Amino acid sequence: TDRKKLHTAPVGQVFRLRPFHVLVATGGGYAGYRKYEDYKLEQLEKRGIEVPVKLASEWEVALYKSVPTRLLSRAWGRLNQVELPTWLRKPVYSLYIWTFGVNMKEAAVEDLHHYRNLSEFFRRKLKPQARPVCCVHSVISPSDGKILNFGQVKNCEVEQVKGVTYSLESFLGPRISTEEMHFSQAPAGNSFQKQLVTKEGNELYHCVIYLAPGDYHCFHSPTDWTVSHRRHFPGSLMSVNPGVARWIKELFCHNERVVLTGDWKHGFFSLTAVGATNVGSIRIYFDQDLHTNSPSYSKGSYNDFSFISNNNKEGIPMRKGEHLGEFNLGSTIVLIFEAPKDFRFNLKAGQKIRFGEALGSL
């Protein structure tokens, strides 16, 4: 008589799946499948076999976007800031070093016990002599990484990888007012690309650099220039590795990014830091008001900030090689700039490059 009653729910209620859980499970499984496909493509490329371009359909992109990458990236960021016990630091960092081929001999502090958490390890500084800055060429690589693409901008489109393009205007956003930027006074009917070119006879160039997780995570100024404006696009945080960049058209326009624009001796110059999975944190050292990967945002929105004020008529001057910002893990940097027609890149698509090495010159 003292037995407690056992209440049971209907079987259908116990096994009821919510739509969110289905999306996460399906999207996560599909993302894993894409990672496997990317691995196969990398193996083919290493063997010198050209891989045909196969773009994702709208439903595939939507399915990938259903994976809560922004939430996962914020969780990853908090995990990175958890202080590790001294005895655990070397095993954890050693596993990362082995997995991604990190060269700790270049680090300013080689002792792994020095780094209290993963975040400090990712942001490790290099020895001054590890990355000599090229003084001969006018534009240097702002970071370590792999060259995905480079060349002249044509028909208002930029190549993220060979054969896959995105819209220049969608990537940079609407033209900034001439009061804040020294854009050419081109008629409104001119193409967006022509409106960016401020000097007659110049062309617009681009260069895309992919930072792998094992690369040095800081980025620097690629030339002597003045930063006058920042535009922050909240967005998705899909992977930007070369396999995904080959698969999703306008991937960089979907993802969160920070666009820095200004001018150098030849006219318009911009550097864009593109976010990716587990790279929700993009930091610009001189911009304390920038906060990336916030919990909520409006699709297609962006926010602008001008570094030109009554007290500062020029903007933020940056010297070639000067520290500019950092990523939380690996990601992508896109340079879009104006230069005379005789500007030449000293690069090959797919080559590895290190911060300080030459990108091109006149």
Side-chain angles (χ1 to χ4, degrees):
T1 56
D2 294 331
R3 292 179 183 174
K4 294 180 180 179
K5 292 183 179 179
L6 178 63
H7 296 276
T8 59
V11 175
Q13 184 176 337
V14 173
F15 293 101
R16 184 181 301 164
L17 292 175
R18 296 181 180 179
F20 176 76
H21 297 154
V22 174
L23 283 174
V24 171
T26 308
Y30 191 74
Y33 166 74
R34 288 305 315 172
K35 286 285 187 182
Y36 174 68
E37 290 294 309
D38 295 339
Y39 171 76
K40 291 199 299 183
L41 289 175
E42 288 177 5
Q43 296 305 308
L44 290 174
E45 286 182 341
K46 287 179 180 178
R47 292 160 55 187
I49 301 173
E50 188 171 346
V51 181
V53 174
K54 184 182 178 182
L55 295 177
S57 61
E58 289 186 10
W59 73 265
E60 287 178 309
V61 176
L63 185 58
Y64 191 0
K65 282 186 172 182
S66 71
V67 180
T69 51
R70 293 178 63 83
L71 177 62
L72 291 172
S73 297
R74 284 195 295 274
W76 175 252
R78 291 180 182 177
L79 178 64
N80 288 347
Q81 295 172 5
V82 175
E83 185 169 341
L84 297 175
T86 306
W87 62 268
L88 189 58
R89 294 174 190 176
K90 189 171 182 178
V92 170
Y93 301 148
S94 296
L95 177 62
Y96 185 90
I97 291 168
W98 176 78
T99 303
F100 297 108
V102 179
N103 184 4
M104 283 302 293
K105 291 182 179 180
E106 297 176 333
V109 180
E110 296 184 40
D111 182 12
L112 298 180
H113 296 102
H114 170 79
Y115 304 101
R116 294 173 298 176
N117 52 46
L118 283 165
S119 184
E120 286 189 2
F121 178 72
F122 294 145
R123 300 197 313 270
R124 64 192 178 277
K125 303 301 180 185
L126 300 181
K127 294 172 182 174
Q129 66 274 19
R131 296 290 186 276
V133 175
C134 176
C135 299
V136 178
H137 296 271
S138 55
V139 184
I140 63 168
S141 175
S143 66
D144 290 5
K146 178 181 179 180
I147 302 295
L148 293 190
N149 217 299
F150 63 92
Q152 241 181 63
V153 177
K154 297 180 180 179
N155 301 320
C156 293
E157 288 196 331
V158 185
E159 281 195 320
Q160 58 191 29
V161 293
K162 185 178 180 181
V164 182
T165 62
Y166 55 92
S167 163
L168 179 65
E169 186 169 4
S170 297
F171 182 69
L172 295 178
R175 190 165 71 104
I176 305 163
S177 66
T178 52
E179 288 81 10
E180 297 180 11
M181 279 292 300
H182 303 296
F183 283 119
S184 62
Q185 301 291 336
N190 278 17
S191 71
F192 183 81
Q193 178 179 337
K194 289 182 179 179
Q195 290 175 15
L196 295 182
V197 178
T198 63
K199 298 181 180 180
E200 188 175 351
N202 281 1
E203 297 288 348
L204 209 59
Y205 298 87
H206 74 99
C207 182
V208 184
I209 305 169
Y210 167 67
L211 289 74
D215 288 327
Y216 171 53
H217 288 60
C218 297
F219 51 93
H220 301 245
S221 176
T223 191
D224 295 334
W225 64 308
T226 302
V227 184
S228 56
H229 188 271
R230 179 258 289 162
R231 176 169 284 165
H232 172 217
F233 291 85
S236 301
L237 287 174
M238 295 183 282
S239 172
V240 293
N241 74 55
V244 177
R246 189 185 294 106
W247 179 55
I248 297 180
K249 184 177 175 62
E250 298 205 331
L251 171 65
F252 299 156
C253 298
H254 289 293
N255 272 14
E256 182 154 4
R257 60 198 182 278
V258 177
V259 182
L260 299 177
T261 50
D263 57 275
W264 68 319
K265 61 183 178 181
H266 298 298
F268 173 79
F269 198 97
S270 74
L271 180 149
T272 302
V274 183
T277 307
N278 294 336
V279 196
S281 174
I282 301 172
R283 183 182 173 194
I284 305 297
Y285 294 139
F286 58 75
D287 188 356
Q288 300 302 315
D289 295 323
L290 175 65
H291 300 287
T292 57
N293 195 12
S294 57
S296 60
Y297 72 98
S298 300
K299 185 178 180 181
S301 66
Y302 61 86
N303 56 76
D304 289 331
F305 184 85
S306 175
F307 297 109
I308 296 177
S309 62
N310 293 330
N311 298 325
N312 182 5
K313 300 293 184 181
E314 298 298 325
I316 308 294
M318 296 297 301
R319 304 295 296 176
K320 183 167 65 174
E322 186 177 350
H323 276 84
L324 182 55
E326 63 188 39
F327 289 112
N328 190 32
L329 198 60
S331 196
T332 298
I333 288 178
V334 180
L335 301 179
I336 298 174
F337 57 92
E338 173 187 359
K341 291 182 178 179
D342 57 349
F343 181 87
R344 294 291 181 271
F345 285 102
N346 301 312
L347 303 170
K348 292 181 181 179
Q351 79 171 71
K352 291 289 291 183
I353 197 165
R354 303 201 304 175
F355 155 62
E357 294 179 347
L359 285 184
S361 190
L362 297 171

